Amino acid sequence: KAGVTQTPRYLIKTRGQQVTLSCSPISGHRSVSWYQQTPGQGLQFLFEYFSETQRNKGNFPGRFSGRQFSNSRSEMNVSTLELGDSALYLCASKQGADTQYFGPGTRLTVL
Amino acid sequence: TQLLEQSPQFLSIQEGENLTVYCNSSSVFSSLQWYRQEPGEGPVLLVTVVTGGEVKKLKRLTFQFGDARKDSSLHITAAQPGDTGLYLCAGAGSNTGKLIFGQGTTLQVKP
């Protein structure tokens, strides 16, 4: 089985722009979660999608949003980018109550 | 708010030494996962512990889940340079895609 894939792997944007990141879960996994990883804050939960519905949400501003499609693929969007949004964005998928499996991440740099 | 305190944050040891990483919380988790992460990549699952008091072994790595399911430890015997990396513990609630991560332990094993 193919693992979780994320595109793009690297992205450079400037302040004020918006960005969309994509995640394809492991086949058969219906839950997709997104995390932000920074050196100062570590790994922080952004949100989880299950069957095209947001099931959980972390403590991030409304500039961070996401969605899930009927094939379980998910996207996250960050609008009005700030310097502090520079981070490794990770997505993870799981099936039922099973363990989460992570993708390689998208490294976002905001200049 | 659920928190996981992971210690130590940094560890630099010689090849052949033993080490233990601790993960503590005041909250109960339905399961706890240990991941290892290489720079620029996503976390890779090492083990999931579910039952209080559970001990799992993965070659030279021993994982333990506390009886009350609030804490966990990772013990590495005879560390090797290939063990170098960032070790992360993560607690999960029941049937949720939200993981609470510890701050991580950066391990460096010198030859």
Side-chain angles (χ1 to χ4, degrees):
Chain A
K1 254 189 195 179
V4 178
T5 58
Q6 291 187 245
T7 56
R9 289 295 310 275
Y10 304 92
L11 208 48
I12 300 175
K13 293 286 187 179
T14 56
R15 278 181 298 174
Q17 288 186 309
Q18 74 164 15
V19 68
T20 299
L21 312 181
S22 181
C23 171
S24 292
I26 292 171
S27 177
H29 288 194
R30 295 168 63 191
S31 166
V32 174
S33 296
W34 289 89
Y35 296 83
Q36 181 196 65
Q37 186 175 27
T38 59
Q41 299 298 318
L43 266 147
Q44 293 187 291
F45 173 78
L46 280 156
F47 29 66
E48 179 201 8
Y49 284 87
F50 179 81
S51 291
E52 301 178 65
T53 302
Q54 189 178 87
R55 186 158 73 171
N56 284 291
K57 190 177 188 306
N59 296 322
F60 279 81
R63 301 185 296 106
F64 292 82
S65 62
R67 59 177 176 167
Q68 187 179 34
F69 302 94
S70 58
N71 62 357
S72 295
R73 190 178 69 85
S74 177
E75 288 181 347
M76 69 162 281
N77 184 277
V78 189
S79 62
T80 320
L81 284 166
E82 300 176 359
L83 294 178
D85 296 334
S86 293
L88 182 67
Y89 289 88
L90 294 158
C91 102
S93 74
K94 74 184 185 82
Q95 185 175 40
D98 288 349
T99 302
Q100 289 189 32
Y101 294 89
F102 284 82
T106 293
R107 169 70 64 186
L108 172 65
T109 302
V110 182
L111 303 175
Chain B
T1 304
Q2 292 180 305
L3 290 174
L4 267 173
E5 298 287 337
Q6 191 172 338
S7 64
Q9 282 191 280
F10 301 97
L11 204 49
S12 181
I13 60 174
Q14 293 294 134
E15 182 177 359
E17 293 184 7
N18 302 330
L19 67 114
T20 302
V21 178
Y22 299 94
C23 197
N24 297 299
S25 175
S26 58
S27 305
V28 175
F29 293 101
S30 63
S31 69
L32 199 138
Q33 290 140 38
W34 286 91
Y35 293 87
R36 180 179 154 194
Q37 186 178 23
E38 300 292 337
E41 297 293 330
V44 175
L45 178 72
L46 294 173
V47 78
T48 299
V49 284
V50 178
T51 307
E54 183 176 6
V55 176
K56 281 191 173 179
K57 292 193 175 185
L58 187 66
K59 297 182 181 177
R60 295 175 292 101
L61 278 61
T62 302
F63 304 85
Q64 187 162 6
F65 202 12
D67 291 339
R69 291 186 290 135
K70 292 182 179 181
D71 55 87
S72 182
S73 64
L74 156 62
H75 182 80
I76 301 179
T77 304
Q80 298 177 0
D83 295 328
T84 293
L86 176 66
Y87 289 83
L88 295 156
C89 64
S94 57
N95 198 29
T96 171
K98 179 179 180 178
L99 288 176
I100 305 296
F101 277 88
Q103 302 96 317
T105 296
T106 299
L107 171 65
Q108 181 187 43
V109 182
K110 301 174 190 175

